[in-house]
Amino acid sequence: MSRARKDTLRTAVAVVVAVAAVAAAGVALTRTTPDAPTDDASVGDWAEYSEVESATTTEASPGPAHTPEWSTDASAAYGRDFAALRAPSAGLLFDSSLYGVVDGGDVLITAVGLPDPRTYSFDSPKLLGIDAGDGTVRWSASPGGVDTCASRLTRGELVCLDSYADVPAIVAIDAQDGAMRRVPLPREWFTYGIESDGESVFILEGNPEDGESVLHGGSIDALAGAWSLPVTGFATWDGIESTLIHVHDDRGVITLGSDAEFFDTVTGSAVDNLELRSQTTVFDTNSGTEVWKLEDPYAVEKTIGQTVYSQDGSSIIAADRETGDVFWAWSLPVDVDGFTASGTVVEAESGVYFVSSSSIVKLVE
């Protein structure tokens, strides 16, 4: 694809992110302002709804108070006021306003940078390696113009795309010490999606607006020998979401717009007996049974084992998934904008975390 074409697509993505950011801001305002009616509330019912909502958000949350194990502040880790955390897998070229980490066992990898609300960019991003034991910053790395990263490590490295460099490349960052290396990509590839299953990397390239994309899978150090699978799914650039490639065991699915195409992660061959329903649940069409659930990595509510973690007003609540009994409640901090922090509950090998724009908090082991 020509450089001019890449610039055109980049501009299109910028417009999309700008619109998404405005929409996200509207959602955040709706959630934190009890005197603004929801879309499905009628004018006549609003007075009653407002009383209930105000009472709900101002009452103390049930359950004993919880003290997290540690918290890491974004501004302190970056060394600048108003620095913010973001999920590396949600994209770093523009401001996704999504929060998360990549699980590295005894280290958590997250991104920190300077959001610019005027341009919807995420300026001067860095990747941080956070010690899962005490929250200290083990390492900090400046990856340059990274677009997006995989949600899992590949043989101990975080793999990210740098599609707009003069020499497009995979940027691989060692999870333990932050050491970086660049693996050049074939110049004819226009890459826009990346994922890993822990061993192999899966790269989506082409143009989804023309239904002409290709998925490649294999070792990042042997891309010439990677398998390739044509992907005919259609999506406009403004319909591209951060998570395009999902993998589970030896199966994967690419979601472009309303299309879902399944593949074997080992051979790259298409898989025909699977179907995605309701955008989240994969069924085996031969047996009619559910075989896979695509989870939202950025959800604030998450069920982990027998515990449901959810946000209740200004607190995170941990409750029994079956009885609903509340184990504890943790009062959310206030962000630099004066609003109660909103974020993502993350399950990692080392524990359960709450990640917001301003901090990573270890809730429990």
Side-chain angles (χ1 to χ4, degrees):
M1 181 175 293
S2 68
R3 180 62 55 183
R5 177 59 172 160
K6 289 185 179 183
D7 291 341
T8 300
L9 294 176
R10 182 173 184 173
T11 301
V13 175
V15 173
V16 173
V17 173
V19 173
V22 172
V27 171
L29 183 59
T30 302
R31 289 177 178 169
T32 55
T33 308
D35 58 353
T38 57
D39 292 339
D40 58 1
S42 66
V43 174
D45 295 336
W46 176 244
E48 180 180 354
Y49 172 84
S50 181
E51 292 178 4
V52 173
E53 178 69 9
S54 297
T56 301
T57 56
T58 56
E59 288 180 352
S61 297
H66 178 64
T67 302
E69 297 196 14
W70 53 256
S71 176
T72 300
D73 180 76
S75 294
Y78 191 83
R80 287 276 300 275
D81 290 340
F82 307 108
L85 299 174
R86 294 294 184 262
S89 56
L92 301 179
L93 190 61
F94 301 101
D95 189 2
S96 68
S97 296
L98 295 173
Y99 319 115
V101 301
V102 176
D103 186 7
D106 61 350
V107 64
L108 305 171
I109 304 176
T110 191
V112 62
L114 302 171
D116 187 337
R118 295 170 298 177
T119 62
Y120 304 104
S121 62
F122 191 61
D123 297 336
S124 305
K126 295 181 180 180
L127 293 170
L128 300 178
I130 307 295
D131 191 294
D134 58 14
T136 57
V137 178
R138 284 194 188 180
W139 53 262
S140 172
S142 299
V146 163
D147 310 344
T148 187
C149 305
S151 67
R152 303 180 191 178
L153 299 183
T154 304
R155 300 183 181 184
E157 293 179 309
L158 177 66
V159 291
C160 309
L161 292 176
D162 186 357
S163 303
Y164 296 100
D166 290 337
V167 180
I170 292 175
V171 180
I173 302 99
D174 188 284
Q176 293 301 312
D177 59 14
M180 292 190 296
R181 63 190 182 106
R182 295 178 64 87
V183 180
L185 289 163
R187 294 192 66 86
E188 66 272 17
W189 290 8
F190 179 67
T191 54
Y192 63 93
I194 188 169
E195 187 51 284
S196 172
D197 64 357
E199 293 293 323
S200 298
V201 63
F202 308 102
I203 300 171
L204 192 59
E205 55 96 2
N207 186 353
E209 289 192 337
D210 294 336
E212 297 178 351
S213 297
V214 180
L215 180 71
H216 305 275
S219 168
I220 64 172
D221 295 312
L223 293 177
W227 53 253
S228 299
L229 176 68
V231 177
T232 59
F234 168 83
T236 59
W237 286 106
D238 59 354
I240 295 293
E241 297 181 353
S242 58
T243 306
L244 301 175
I245 308 169
H246 315 256
V247 292
H248 176 70
D249 294 332
D250 292 333
R251 295 167 294 195
V253 60
I254 304 152
T255 52
L256 289 174
S258 60
D259 297 307
E261 301 184 40
F262 294 88
F263 63 94
D264 185 298
T265 59
V266 177
T267 66
S269 57
V271 177
D272 297 326
N273 64 317
L274 297 177
E275 179 182 17
L276 181 63
R277 302 177 187 174
S278 302
Q279 302 301 310
T280 58
T281 307
V282 178
F283 283 83
D284 185 315
T285 55
N286 292 334
S287 64
T289 58
E290 177 184 324
V291 296
W292 184 9
K293 181 78 90 176
L294 306 185
E295 295 187 3
D296 178 4
Y298 311 113
V300 69
E301 180 173 313
K302 194 157 293 183
T303 299
I304 302 172
Q306 292 298 312
T307 304
V308 177
Y309 298 88
S310 60
Q311 185 166 341
D312 177 19
S314 59
S315 298
I316 293 292
I317 304 296
D320 188 284
R321 65 180 299 178
E322 295 180 356
T323 67
D325 293 339
V326 175
F327 300 135
W328 51 256
W330 171 61
S331 296
L332 287 162
V334 175
D335 275 338
V336 292
D337 58 8
F339 290 99
T340 298
S342 61
T344 301
V345 174
V346 174
E347 178 185 14
E349 181 182 327
S350 55
V352 179
Y353 300 82
F354 179 78
V355 186
S356 67
S357 180
S358 59
S359 63
I360 297 178
V361 179
K362 186 171 187 178
L363 297 175
V364 295
E365 286 281 357

